[in-house]
Amino acid sequence: MEDILILGIETSCDETAASVVKNGREVLSNIISSQIDLHTLYGGVVPEIASRKHIEKINQVITEALKEAKVSLSDITAIAVTYGPGLVGALLVGVAEAKAIAFAAGKPLVGVHHIEGHISANYIENKELKPPFACLVVSGGHTHLVKVMDYGKYEILGCTRDDAAGEAFDKVARAIGLGYPGGPKIDKVSKEGNADAIHFPRAKVDESVYDFSFSGLKSAVLNYLNSCEMKGETVCVPDVAASFQKAVVDVLVEHSMAASEEYGFQKFAIAGGVASNSSLRSAMSDACKDRGIAFYHPSPILCTDNAAMIAAAGYYEYINGTRSGWDLNAIPNLKLGER
Ligand code: KG4
Ligand code: ZN
């Protein structure tokens, strides 16, 4: 069978990324131009700045991805691009670029859902992983517990009612003076703290056992910081970070394992930026081991936004016959499984 080479393009938030992936699982190049340093100045992603930076970088990043993969555009089978969810102006840059290249080179265009990309990051390093399995997608914008029934076929079992897990990490990090992006900083400083020092709440959503809620936890941390200030007590940042992180991880693991028991999942994967959190990885790994469930996770570079995951997802969409028209548009609130 002839090799299928997918050029993946990702611009949904603050990373301009392009990648060439062979047959869905072999990464030939994975170029990421991060805007983090720029947005750090403002304490978070500024959408207008993100779009402008994507425009500046996109051609350069794609050229680099083709060069590193030692291929030219004519060798590419199809072009896969994230068309939602994400920041509309940021998404539009990738979508317009992908359409232009696909049209000019006469290549098929495949629109990819960003979360489908995160889930598919697991295929790259786990060559034996095939659906069905369950996946917890935890990133700056999403917290979804997903049943992966087949390639491209998903059922959402639970999602967040308010803040995403990564958003909670970022907001709490800002409150304790660690800066943006908060997740990696909380992960690091937590190693020096006592996770049982402060008991923060583990929220439950009454009507739906697999849904999440993190805004109460964030408020509890803010209240704790305020009360320390009022009492003139010094805040032990590593203890707050570790206790907060434990509260998030406990809920994520508890919901994931409850769903695994109810649905009888044999395989469990994690994905998204927060999936690179060391405490979540070890807690989820232990919980899966105790239940005889195989546990999968991508390397940190494939957890945070990248285009290899979009190319991997694009490959399965492509071989299943998905093709997007020249009217493909950016859809900021695109639902998983919708086209
Ligand atoms: O997947 P991603 O790059 O972008 C979205 O699709 O949102 O995820 C970014 C999020 C940020 O909120 C960041 O703070 C969080 O992932 N993150 C982490 C870690 N690394 C990144 N959160 C906790 N621990 C980490 N090590
Ligand atoms: Zn993402």
Side-chain angles (χ1 to χ4, degrees), residues 80-157:
V81 63
T82 308
Y83 73 110
L87 302 169
V88 69
L91 287 164
L92 268 173
V93 177
V95 169
E97 177 84 11
K99 284 202 278 191
I101 296 179
F103 185 75
K107 303 287 178 185
L109 177 70
V110 180
V112 169
H113 191 287
H114 184 74
I115 301 213
E116 178 170 24
H118 275 303
I119 295 170
S120 304
N122 278 289
Y123 298 136
I124 294 169
E125 291 160 313
N126 302 297
K127 309 290 180 205
E128 79 292 356
L129 178 64
K130 290 187 177 72
F133 62 94
C135 188
L136 175 73
V137 186
V138 268
S139 71
H142 315 279
T143 307
H144 283 29
L145 186 53
V146 182
K147 187 172 160 189
V148 182
M149 294 173 290
D150 203 344
Y151 295 106
K153 271 187 85 183
Y154 308 97
E155 185 189 332
I156 298 172
L157 303 177

Coordinates of all heavy atoms in Angstrom, one line a residue, residues 80-157:
A80 N -4.5 18.5 6.6 CA -5.4 18.4 7.7 C -5.3 19.7 8.5 O -4.1 20.1 8.8 CB -5.2 17.2 8.6
V81 N -6.4 20.3 8.9 CA -6.3 21.6 9.6 C -7.3 21.6 10.8 O -8.4 21.2 10.6 CB -6.4 22.8 8.7 CG1 -7.8 22.9 8.0 CG2 -6.1 24.1 9.5
T82 N -6.9 22.2 11.9 CA -7.9 22.4 13.0 C -8.9 23.5 12.6 O -8.4 24.6 12.2 CB -7.2 22.9 14.3 OG1 -6.1 22.0 14.5 CG2 -8.1 23.0 15.4
Y83 N -10.2 23.2 12.6 CA -11.1 24.3 12.2 C -12.0 24.6 13.4 O -12.9 25.4 13.3 CB -11.9 23.9 11.0 CG -13.0 22.8 11.1 CD1 -14.3 23.2 11.0 CD2 -12.6 21.5 11.2 CE1 -15.3 22.2 11.1 CE2 -13.6 20.5 11.3 CZ -14.9 20.9 11.2 OH -15.9 19.9 11.3
G84 N -11.8 24.0 14.6 CA -12.5 24.3 15.8 C -12.3 23.3 16.8 O -11.8 22.2 16.5
P85 N -12.6 23.5 18.1 CA -12.9 24.8 18.7 C -11.6 25.5 18.9 O -10.6 25.0 18.9 CB -13.6 24.4 20.0 CG -13.1 23.0 20.3 CD -12.7 22.4 19.0
G86 N -11.8 26.8 19.3 CA -10.6 27.6 19.5 C -11.0 29.1 19.3 O -12.2 29.5 19.3
L87 N -9.9 29.9 19.3 CA -10.2 31.4 19.1 C -10.4 31.6 17.6 O -9.6 31.1 16.8 CB -8.9 32.2 19.5 CG -8.4 32.0 20.9 CD1 -7.0 32.6 21.1 CD2 -9.4 32.7 21.9
V88 N -11.5 32.3 17.3 CA -11.9 32.4 15.9 C -10.9 33.0 15.0 O -10.6 32.4 13.9 CB -13.3 33.0 15.7 CG1 -13.3 34.5 16.1 CG2 -13.9 32.8 14.3
G89 N -10.3 34.1 15.4 CA -9.3 34.7 14.6 C -8.0 33.9 14.4 O -7.4 33.9 13.3
A90 N -7.7 33.2 15.4 CA -6.5 32.3 15.3 C -6.8 31.1 14.4 O -6.0 30.8 13.5 CB -6.2 31.8 16.8
L91 N -8.0 30.5 14.6 CA -8.4 29.3 13.7 C -8.4 29.7 12.3 O -8.0 29.0 11.4 CB -9.8 28.8 14.1 CG -9.9 28.1 15.4 CD1 -11.4 28.0 15.8 CD2 -9.4 26.7 15.3
L92 N -8.9 30.9 12.0 CA -9.1 31.4 10.6 C -7.8 31.4 9.9 O -7.7 31.1 8.7 CB -9.7 32.8 10.6 CG -11.2 32.9 10.5 CD1 -11.6 34.3 10.7 CD2 -11.7 32.3 9.2
V93 N -6.7 31.7 10.5 CA -5.4 31.8 9.9 C -5.0 30.4 9.4 O -4.6 30.3 8.2 CB -4.3 32.3 10.8 CG1 -2.9 32.3 10.1 CG2 -4.6 33.7 11.3
G94 N -5.1 29.4 10.2 CA -4.8 28.0 9.8 C -5.7 27.5 8.7 O -5.3 26.9 7.7
V95 N -7.0 27.8 8.8 CA -8.0 27.3 7.9 C -7.8 28.0 6.5 O -7.7 27.3 5.5 CB -9.4 27.6 8.4 CG1 -10.5 27.4 7.3 CG2 -9.8 26.7 9.6
A96 N -7.5 29.3 6.5 CA -7.3 30.0 5.2 C -6.0 29.5 4.5 O -6.0 29.3 3.3 CB -7.2 31.5 5.5
E97 N -5.0 29.3 5.4 CA -3.7 28.8 4.8 C -3.9 27.4 4.2 O -3.4 27.1 3.1 CB -2.7 28.8 6.0 CG -1.4 28.2 5.6 CD -0.4 29.2 5.0 OE1 -0.8 30.4 5.0 OE2 0.6 28.8 4.4
A98 N -4.6 26.5 5.0 CA -4.7 25.1 4.5 C -5.5 25.1 3.2 O -5.2 24.4 2.3 CB -5.4 24.3 5.6
K99 N -6.6 25.9 3.2 CA -7.4 26.0 1.9 C -6.6 26.5 0.8 O -6.6 25.9 -0.3 CB -8.6 26.9 2.1 CG -9.7 26.3 3.0 CD -11.0 27.0 2.8 CE -11.2 28.3 3.6 NZ -12.6 28.8 3.5
A100 N -5.8 27.5 1.0 CA -5.0 28.1 -0.1 C -4.0 27.0 -0.6 O -3.9 26.8 -1.8 CB -4.2 29.3 0.4
I101 N -3.3 26.4 0.3 CA -2.3 25.4 -0.1 C -2.9 24.2 -0.8 O -2.5 23.7 -1.9 CB -1.5 24.8 1.1 CG1 -0.7 26.0 1.8 CG2 -0.5 23.7 0.7 CD1 0.1 25.5 3.0
A102 N -4.0 23.7 -0.2 CA -4.7 22.5 -0.8 C -5.2 22.9 -2.2 O -5.1 22.1 -3.1 CB -5.9 22.1 0.1
F103 N -5.8 24.1 -2.4 CA -6.3 24.5 -3.7 C -5.2 24.6 -4.7 O -5.3 24.0 -5.8 CB -7.1 25.8 -3.5 CG -7.8 26.2 -4.8 CD1 -9.0 25.6 -5.2 CD2 -7.3 27.2 -5.6 CE1 -9.6 26.0 -6.4 CE2 -7.9 27.6 -6.7 CZ -9.1 27.0 -7.1
A104 N -4.1 25.3 -4.3 CA -3.0 25.5 -5.2 C -2.3 24.2 -5.6 O -1.9 24.0 -6.8 CB -2.0 26.5 -4.6
A105 N -2.2 23.3 -4.6 CA -1.4 22.1 -4.9 C -2.4 20.9 -5.4 O -1.9 19.8 -5.7 CB -0.7 21.6 -3.7
G106 N -3.7 21.2 -5.4 CA -4.6 20.2 -5.9 C -4.7 19.0 -4.9 O -4.7 17.8 -5.3
K107 N -4.6 19.3 -3.6 CA -4.7 18.2 -2.6 C -6.0 18.2 -1.8 O -6.6 19.3 -1.6 CB -3.5 18.4 -1.6 CG -2.2 18.5 -2.2 CD -1.7 17.1 -2.7 CE -0.3 17.2 -3.3 NZ 0.1 16.0 -3.9
P108 N -6.4 17.1 -1.4 CA -7.7 17.1 -0.5 C -7.5 17.8 0.8 O -6.3 17.8 1.3 CB -7.9 15.6 -0.3 CG -7.0 14.8 -1.2 CD -5.9 15.7 -1.6
L109 N -8.5 18.4 1.3 CA -8.5 19.2 2.5 C -9.4 18.4 3.6 O -10.5 18.0 3.2 CB -9.1 20.5 2.2 CG -9.3 21.5 3.4 CD1 -7.9 22.0 3.9 CD2 -10.1 22.7 3.0
V110 N -8.8 18.3 4.8 CA -9.6 17.6 5.8 C -9.6 18.5 7.1 O -8.6 18.7 7.7 CB -8.9 16.2 6.2 CG1 -9.7 15.5 7.3 CG2 -8.8 15.3 4.9
G111 N -10.8 18.9 7.4 CA -11.0 19.7 8.7 C -11.0 18.8 9.9 O -11.6 17.7 9.9
V112 N -10.2 19.2 10.9 CA -10.1 18.3 12.1 C -10.6 19.1 13.3 O -10.3 20.2 13.5 CB -8.6 17.8 12.3 CG1 -8.4 17.2 13.6 CG2 -8.2 16.9 11.1
H113 N -11.2 18.3 14.2 CA -11.7 18.8 15.5 C -10.4 18.8 16.5 O -9.7 17.8 16.5 CB -12.8 18.0 16.1 CG -13.5 18.6 17.3 ND1 -12.9 18.7 18.5 CD2 -14.7 19.2 17.4 CE1 -13.7 19.3 19.3 NE2 -14.8 19.6 18.7
H114 N -10.2 20.0 17.1 CA -9.0 20.1 18.0 C -8.9 19.0 19.0 O -7.9 18.4 19.3 CB -9.0 21.5 18.7 CG -7.8 21.7 19.5 ND1 -6.6 22.0 18.9 CD2 -7.6 21.8 20.8 CE1 -5.7 22.3 19.9 NE2 -6.3 22.1 21.1
I115 N -10.1 18.6 19.6 CA -10.1 17.6 20.7 C -9.8 16.2 20.1 O -9.1 15.4 20.7 CB -11.4 17.6 21.5 CG1 -11.6 18.9 22.1 CG2 -11.5 16.4 22.5 CD1 -12.3 19.0 23.4
E116 N -10.3 16.0 18.9 CA -10.0 14.7 18.2 C -8.5 14.6 18.0 O -7.9 13.5 18.1 CB -10.7 14.7 16.8 CG -10.4 13.4 16.1 CD -11.3 13.2 14.8 OE1 -11.9 14.2 14.3 OE2 -11.4 12.1 14.4
G117 N -7.9 15.8 17.7 CA -6.4 15.8 17.6 C -5.7 15.4 18.9 O -4.9 14.5 18.9
H118 N -6.2 16.0 20.0 CA -5.6 15.7 21.3 C -5.7 14.2 21.6 O -4.7 13.6 22.0 CB -6.2 16.5 22.4 CG -5.6 17.8 22.6 ND1 -4.3 18.0 22.9 CD2 -6.2 19.1 22.6 CE1 -4.1 19.3 23.1 NE2 -5.2 20.0 22.9
I119 N -6.8 13.6 21.3 CA -7.0 12.2 21.6 C -6.1 11.4 20.7 O -5.4 10.4 21.2 CB -8.5 11.8 21.3 CG1 -9.5 12.5 22.3 CG2 -8.7 10.3 21.3 CD1 -10.9 12.4 22.0
S120 N -6.0 11.8 19.4 CA -5.2 11.0 18.5 C -3.7 11.1 18.7 O -2.9 10.3 18.2 CB -5.5 11.6 17.0 OG -6.8 11.5 16.8
A121 N -3.2 12.1 19.6 CA -1.8 12.2 20.0 C -1.4 10.8 20.6 O -0.2 10.4 20.5 CB -1.6 13.3 20.9
N122 N -2.3 10.1 21.2 CA -2.0 8.8 21.8 C -1.7 7.7 20.8 O -1.0 6.8 21.1 CB -3.2 8.4 22.6 CG -3.2 9.0 24.0 OD1 -2.4 8.7 24.9 ND2 -4.1 10.0 24.2
Y123 N -2.1 7.9 19.5 CA -1.8 6.8 18.5 C -0.3 6.9 18.1 O 0.2 5.9 17.7 CB -2.7 7.0 17.3 CG -4.2 6.9 17.5 CD1 -5.1 7.8 16.9 CD2 -4.7 5.9 18.3 CE1 -6.4 7.7 17.1 CE2 -6.0 5.8 18.5 CZ -6.9 6.7 17.9 OH -8.3 6.5 18.1
I124 N 0.3 8.1 18.2 CA 1.6 8.3 17.7 C 2.7 7.4 18.4 O 3.4 6.7 17.8 CB 2.0 9.8 17.7 CG1 1.1 10.5 16.8 CG2 3.4 10.0 17.4 CD1 1.1 12.0 16.9
E125 N 2.6 7.4 19.7 CA 3.7 6.7 20.4 C 3.2 5.3 20.9 O 4.0 4.5 21.4 CB 4.2 7.5 21.6 CG 5.0 8.7 21.2 CD 5.0 9.8 22.2 OE1 4.0 10.1 22.8 OE2 6.1 10.3 22.5
N126 N 1.9 5.0 20.8 CA 1.4 3.7 21.2 C 0.8 3.1 20.0 O -0.4 3.1 19.7 CB 0.3 3.9 22.3 CG 0.8 4.7 23.5 OD1 1.6 4.2 24.2 ND2 0.2 5.9 23.7
K127 N 1.8 2.4 19.3 CA 1.4 1.9 17.9 C 0.3 0.8 18.0 O -0.4 0.6 17.0 CB 2.6 1.3 17.3 CG 3.9 2.2 17.2 CD 3.7 3.3 16.3 CE 5.0 4.2 16.3 NZ 4.8 5.6 15.9
E128 N 0.2 0.2 19.2 CA -0.8 -0.9 19.3 C -2.2 -0.3 19.7 O -3.2 -1.1 19.7 CB -0.4 -2.0 20.3 CG -0.5 -1.7 21.8 CD 0.4 -0.6 22.3 OE1 1.3 0.0 21.5 OE2 0.3 -0.3 23.5
L129 N -2.3 0.9 20.1 CA -3.6 1.5 20.6 C -4.6 1.6 19.5 O -4.4 2.3 18.5 CB -3.4 2.8 21.3 CG -4.6 3.5 21.8 CD1 -5.3 2.7 22.9 CD2 -4.3 4.9 22.4
K130 N -5.7 1.0 19.7 CA -6.8 1.1 18.8 C -8.1 1.3 19.5 O -8.2 0.7 20.7 CB -7.0 -0.3 18.0 CG -5.9 -0.5 17.0 CD -6.2 -1.8 16.2 CE -5.2 -2.1 15.1 NZ -3.9 -2.6 15.7
P131 N -9.1 1.9 19.0 CA -10.4 2.0 19.7 C -11.0 0.6 19.8 O -10.7 -0.3 19.0 CB -11.3 2.9 18.7 CG -10.3 3.6 17.8 CD -9.1 2.6 17.7
P132 N -11.9 0.3 20.7 CA -12.5 1.3 21.7 C -11.6 1.5 22.9 O -10.9 0.6 23.3 CB -13.8 0.5 22.1 CG -13.5 -0.9 22.0 CD -12.5 -1.0 20.8
F133 N -11.6 2.7 23.4 CA -10.9 3.0 24.7 C -11.6 4.3 25.2 O -12.4 4.9 24.6 CB -9.4 3.2 24.5 CG -9.0 4.3 23.6 CD1 -8.6 5.6 24.0 CD2 -8.8 4.1 22.2 CE1 -8.2 6.6 23.2 CE2 -8.4 5.1 21.3 CZ -8.1 6.3 21.8
A134 N -11.2 4.7 26.4 CA -11.7 5.9 27.0 C -10.6 6.9 27.1 O -9.4 6.5 27.2 CB -12.2 5.7 28.4
C135 N -10.9 8.2 26.9 CA -9.8 9.2 27.0 C -10.3 10.4 27.8 O -11.4 10.9 27.6 CB -9.5 9.7 25.6 SG -8.0 10.8 25.5
L136 N -9.5 10.9 28.7 CA -9.7 12.1 29.5 C -8.9 13.2 28.8 O -7.7 13.1 28.8 CB -9.3 11.9 30.9 CG -9.4 13.2 31.8 CD1 -10.8 13.5 32.1 CD2 -8.6 13.0 33.1
V137 N -9.6 14.2 28.2 CA -8.9 15.3 27.6 C -9.0 16.5 28.5 O -10.0 17.0 28.8 CB -9.7 15.6 26.2 CG1 -8.8 16.7 25.5 CG2 -9.8 14.4 25.4
V138 N -7.8 16.9 29.0 CA -7.7 18.0 29.9 C -6.7 19.0 29.4 O -5.5 18.8 29.3 CB -7.3 17.5 31.3 CG1 -8.5 17.1 32.2 CG2 -6.3 16.3 31.3
S139 N -7.2 20.2 29.0 CA -6.4 21.2 28.5 C -6.8 22.6 29.0 O -7.6 22.6 30.0 CB -6.5 21.2 27.0 OG -7.7 21.7 26.6
G140 N -6.3 23.6 28.4 CA -6.6 25.0 28.9 C -8.0 25.3 28.6 O -8.7 26.1 29.3
G141 N -8.6 24.7 27.5 CA -10.0 25.1 27.1 C -11.0 23.9 27.4 O -12.2 24.2 27.2
H142 N -10.5 22.7 27.6 CA -11.4 21.6 27.7 C -11.2 20.6 28.8 O -10.0 20.4 29.2 CB -11.3 20.8 26.4 CG -11.3 21.7 25.2 ND1 -12.5 22.2 24.7 CD2 -10.3 22.2 24.4 CE1 -12.2 23.0 23.7 NE2 -10.9 23.0 23.5
T143 N -12.2 20.0 29.3 CA -12.1 18.9 30.3 C -13.2 18.0 29.9 O -14.4 18.1 30.2 CB -12.3 19.4 31.7 OG1 -11.4 20.5 31.9 CG2 -12.1 18.3 32.7
H144 N -12.9 17.0 29.1 CA -13.9 16.0 28.5 C -13.5 14.6 28.8 O -12.3 14.2 28.6 CB -13.9 16.1 27.0 CG -14.6 17.3 26.5 ND1 -14.7 18.5 27.1 CD2 -15.3 17.5 25.3 CE1 -15.4 19.4 26.4 NE2 -15.8 18.8 25.3
L145 N -14.5 13.8 29.3 CA -14.3 12.4 29.5 C -15.0 11.8 28.3 O -16.2 11.9 28.1 CB -14.9 12.0 30.8 CG -14.6 10.5 31.2 CD1 -13.2 10.2 31.2 CD2 -15.2 10.3 32.6
V146 N -14.2 11.1 27.4 CA -14.7 10.7 26.1 C -14.6 9.2 25.9 O -13.6 8.6 26.2 CB -13.9 11.4 25.0 CG1 -14.4 11.0 23.6 CG2 -13.9 12.9 25.1
K147 N -15.7 8.6 25.4 CA -15.6 7.2 25.0 C -15.3 7.2 23.5 O -16.0 7.8 22.7 CB -17.0 6.6 25.2 CG -17.2 5.2 25.1 CD -18.6 4.8 25.5 CE -19.0 3.5 25.0 NZ -20.4 3.2 25.3
V148 N -14.1 6.6 23.2 CA -13.7 6.6 21.8 C -14.2 5.2 21.2 O -13.6 4.2 21.5 CB -12.2 6.7 21.6 CG1 -11.7 6.7 20.2 CG2 -11.7 7.9 22.3
M149 N -15.3 5.3 20.5 CA -15.9 4.0 20.0 C -15.2 3.5 18.8 O -15.1 2.3 18.7 CB -17.4 4.3 19.7 CG -18.1 4.6 21.0 SD -19.8 5.1 20.8 CE -19.6 6.7 20.0
D150 N -14.7 4.4 18.0 CA -14.0 4.0 16.8 C -13.2 5.2 16.3 O -13.4 6.3 16.9 CB -15.0 3.5 15.7 CG -14.3 2.6 14.7 OD1 -13.0 2.6 14.6 OD2 -15.0 2.0 13.9
Y151 N -12.4 5.1 15.3 CA -11.7 6.3 14.8 C -12.8 7.3 14.3 O -13.7 6.9 13.6 CB -10.8 5.9 13.6 CG -9.7 5.0 14.0 CD1 -9.7 3.7 13.6 CD2 -8.6 5.5 14.7 CE1 -8.7 2.8 14.0 CE2 -7.6 4.6 15.1 CZ -7.6 3.3 14.7 OH -6.6 2.5 15.1
G152 N -12.7 8.5 14.9 CA -13.7 9.5 14.5 C -15.1 9.4 15.1 O -16.0 10.2 14.8
K153 N -15.3 8.4 16.0 CA -16.6 8.2 16.6 C -16.5 8.3 18.1 O -15.8 7.5 18.7 CB -17.2 6.8 16.2 CG -18.0 6.8 14.9 CD -18.7 5.5 14.7 CE -20.0 5.4 15.4 NZ -20.6 4.1 15.2
Y154 N -17.1 9.3 18.6 CA -17.0 9.6 20.0 C -18.3 9.8 20.8 O -19.3 10.3 20.2 CB -16.2 11.0 20.2 CG -14.9 11.0 19.4 CD1 -14.8 11.6 18.1 CD2 -13.8 10.3 19.9 CE1 -13.7 11.5 17.4 CE2 -12.6 10.3 19.1 CZ -12.6 10.9 17.9 OH -11.4 10.9 17.1
E155 N -18.3 9.5 22.1 CA -19.4 9.8 22.9 C -18.8 10.6 24.1 O -17.9 10.1 24.8 CB -20.1 8.6 23.4 CG -21.4 8.9 24.1 CD -22.0 7.6 24.8 OE1 -21.8 6.5 24.2 OE2 -22.6 7.8 25.8
I156 N -19.4 11.8 24.4 CA -18.9 12.5 25.5 C -19.6 12.1 26.8 O -20.9 12.2 26.9 CB -19.0 14.0 25.3 CG1 -18.2 14.5 24.1 CG2 -18.6 14.8 26.6 CD1 -18.4 15.9 23.7
L157 N -18.9 11.5 27.8 CA -19.5 11.0 29.0 C -19.7 12.1 30.0 O -20.6 12.2 30.8 CB -18.7 9.9 29.6 CG -18.5 8.7 28.7 CD1 -17.7 7.6 29.3 CD2 -19.9 8.1 28.2

